[in-house]
Amino acid sequence: MLDKQTCNQIIALINREVVPAVGCTEPMCVSLCVARATEMLGFRPEKITVLLSANILKNAMGVGIPGTGMIGLPIAIALGALVGKSEYQLEVLKDLTPDTLEEGKLYISGDHIDIQLKRGITEKLYVEARCEAEGHEATAIIAHSHTNFVYVERDGVAVLDNRQPKEGEAATNDIRLSMRLVYDFAMTAPLDEIRFILKTRDYNLRAAEESKKGNYGHCLGKTIDRPLSHGIFGNSIFSHIISKTALATDARMGGAMIPVMSNSGSGNQGICATNPVAVYAEENENTEEELIRALTLSHLTAIYIKQNLGKLSALCGCVVASIGSSCGITYLMGGDYQRVCNSVKNMIANITGMICDGAKPSCALKISSGVSTALLSALLSIEGKCVSSVEGIIDDDVDRSIRNLTSIGAEAMNKTDEMVLEIMTHKGC
């Protein structure tokens, strides 16, 4: 069993990275930043200037904004100023009403909003909101993670400035994970101390059920659950896992006012790390303890990979979260540490390189591909099959295999990221 201090550090890390969110986290991050700048200003802004990193811009362009029936950043920015509360974090717009939505639409039509790409930065997650009114100006900056304010000021007087770590201060105090540490924690942590992870099941399966009440996105989850699809895929654990994962993603990307439990700043990653594991456990009749440990293993694996990859990258987040769910399902199938590691390697050998081309309804398709691969990888691992180190980017050591994946996503795919944004912003030109 791990020592108490290590367990407490990991629990704190999970509690920071697995949090509720309403809507896609990138536009909500922008809305949150605008809300904080507006609060600091103390007036309704006459002008809002928002400067964004390319990855934030890419992920916020084509996704539905909860409760609005609208897509993209302008309405998220307007509502952040009019109704947003920074204390709500990624649920910043949960006080939205029909009346305030109409106010937001009018605000957009008044040409108050200027959205720009922030030049000359290397940080992939960066939001700067400047609000002006009555001769005053306030600025808020979020960087590194979706709720991490690094700078807040009014009229040039800063009340917060953490843009540069102080001398001798580490950029992060998070414990550095390894696959062995992730597995040992998930298997040995006192059950009552990690029982909170069941909230991920409660939130994300509820989102799937709520999704059935509407026609969100491309209705992939509903399609997989229809008789024609059962004739192709069967009315099976596999089809149920795909359907309930896609349903929640359909609703979230379609702008439903439904909260989900996110992972590492992404609601889709939270869904993908949760629903496959929860559905498998229910249908396989695993115990509650096994479910708790499987969900912990899944979410913590995703957090570990994101420690190396970064919050935003050119690599689709479903790759990361699906690796987590494959680990959780492997454990529920009776797999030990070696089998879990083999599932990780099988996953990396298969879907490395899937690009992120922004948050949008079709994310449900990518997530379904990732979850399908998660099940296949787990089954192969339980059968004693694993991609070997003579094949592609796989290494004998599972942590090196993960670093190979994250090096490709965080470094080699940067040019891909630039091209994706170029294509997205010049369609029809």
Side-chain angles (χ1 to χ4, degrees):
M1 183 175 288
L2 302 176
D3 64 83
K4 184 67 173 175
Q5 181 180 359
T6 300
C7 282
N8 288 342
Q9 286 180 295
I10 295 175
I11 289 168
L13 175 60
I14 296 173
N15 276 313
R16 276 198 304 278
E17 299 293 353
V18 180
V19 297
V22 176
C24 176
T25 47
E26 275 69 58
M28 290 306 100
C29 170
V30 177
S31 192
L32 172 64
C33 196
V34 171
R36 184 69 187 93
T38 301
E39 290 163 357
M40 195 64 193
L41 182 65
F43 309 106
R44 176 171 170 156
E46 298 163 1
K47 178 74 174 178
I48 303 173
T49 304
V50 175
L51 296 95
L52 308 172
S53 61
N55 287 78
I56 289 284
L57 189 61
K58 178 183 73 174
N59 279 354
M61 287 173 59
V63 69
I65 306 304
T68 68
M70 300 173 70
I71 287 173
L73 281 167
I75 191 64
I77 292 169
L79 293 176
L82 299 177
V83 72
K85 289 188 174 67
S86 63
E87 65 191 84
Y88 293 163
Q89 301 282 285
L90 293 178
E91 296 179 286
V92 58
L93 299 183
K94 70 179 182 179
D95 287 345
L96 179 64
T97 66
D99 288 343
T100 50
L101 174 57
E102 291 307 311
E103 279 188 63
K105 292 176 181 178
L106 286 172
Y107 192 86
I108 293 171
S109 67
D111 196 28
H112 299 284
I113 298 170
D114 182 19
I115 302 168
Q116 302 176 23
L117 180 66
K118 179 74 173 182
R119 306 284 181 180
I121 59 169
T122 57
E123 174 58 50
K124 296 191 180 222
L125 198 165
Y126 181 94
V127 179
E128 180 178 335
R130 289 203 305 263
C131 294
E132 303 169 46
E134 300 187 19
H136 298 277
E137 180 180 300
T139 299
I141 298 175
I142 289 175
H144 315 308
S145 65
H146 292 77
T147 60
N148 182 48
F149 284 96
V150 297
Y151 186 72
V152 179
E153 63 90 12
R154 186 179 191 270
D155 293 335
V157 179
V159 297
L160 173 71
D161 190 355
N162 290 334
R163 289 173 293 181
Q164 297 294 333
K166 296 179 178 63
E167 186 175 352
E169 180 182 16
T172 176
N173 293 318
D174 288 343
I175 186 170
R176 299 306 296 177
L177 299 171
S178 67
M179 201 62 224
R180 182 82 244 187
L181 181 56
V182 166
Y183 180 85
D184 286 349
F185 174 81
M187 296 302 106
T188 65
L191 204 60
D192 286 342
E193 294 184 15
I194 57 173
R195 190 176 297 277
F196 67 87
I197 203 70
L198 288 175
K199 290 181 182 178
T200 63
R201 173 201 61 185
D202 298 341
Y203 269 75
N204 295 345
L205 287 183
R206 186 185 307 123
E209 289 304 310
E210 289 295 316
S211 181
K212 294 178 182 179
K213 299 175 183 177
N215 290 315
Y216 297 106
H218 300 293
C219 295
L220 180 60
K222 282 184 159 184
T223 299
I224 294 294
D225 206 28
R226 287 173 179 152
L228 175 61
S229 299
H230 286 169
I232 298 170
F233 299 109
N235 188 7
S236 61
I237 296 177
F238 172 79
S239 66
H240 299 164
I241 285 174
I242 300 297
S243 176
K244 290 194 176 181
T245 306
L247 276 165
T249 308
D250 284 334
R252 182 171 175 272
M253 294 289 95
M257 200 70 169
I258 301 171
V260 300
M261 198 67 80
S262 65
N263 182 299
S264 303
S266 167
N268 282 355
Q269 286 171 197
I271 292 166
C272 195
T274 301
N275 287 14
V277 177
V279 173
Y280 184 89
E282 180 180 355
E283 302 215 9
N284 194 51
E285 298 182 353
N286 289 97
T287 66
E288 183 179 75
E289 176 175 352
E290 288 169 337
L291 172 59
I292 290 170
R293 298 201 181 281
L295 285 171
T296 302
L297 177 60
S298 178
H299 279 276
L300 194 56
T301 298
I303 291 168
Y304 165 41
I305 298 172
K306 289 296 256 184
Q307 278 188 337
N308 293 280
L309 181 63
K311 287 290 193 296
L312 298 176
S313 75
L315 185 70
C316 179
C318 83
V319 175
V320 174
S322 295
I323 292 173
S325 61
S326 188
C327 292
I329 290 170
T330 301
Y331 161 71
L332 292 173
M333 288 177 172
D336 57 8
Y337 175 68
Q338 190 56 55
R339 291 286 195 271
V340 167
C341 291
N342 289 349
S343 291
V344 173
K345 294 178 186 179
N346 290 341
M347 290 292 292
I348 294 171
N350 194 338
I351 57 173
T352 293
M354 184 185 291
I355 65 167
C356 170
D357 54 343
K360 61 216 173 298
S362 61
C363 285
L365 290 164
K366 293 188 178 187
I367 283 177
S368 296
S369 296
V371 173
S372 299
T373 304
L375 289 160
L376 178 61
S377 297
L379 279 170
L380 279 174
S381 177
I382 291 297
E383 290 293 321
K385 306 296 183 183
C386 178
V387 177
S388 70
S389 61
V390 300
E391 302 174 70
I393 64 170
I394 301 305
D395 195 287
D396 286 327
D397 180 82
V398 67
D399 294 297
R400 282 198 293 268
S401 294
I402 288 171
R403 285 196 293 276
N404 293 342
L405 165 72
T406 57
S407 294
I408 290 170
E411 299 168 27
M413 291 177 72
N414 280 338
K415 192 67 178 176
T416 300
D417 223 11
E418 294 172 12
M419 179 57 69
V420 166
L421 185 63
E422 178 75 12
I423 292 169
M424 290 175 65
T425 54
H426 290 85
K427 284 189 285 189
C429 295

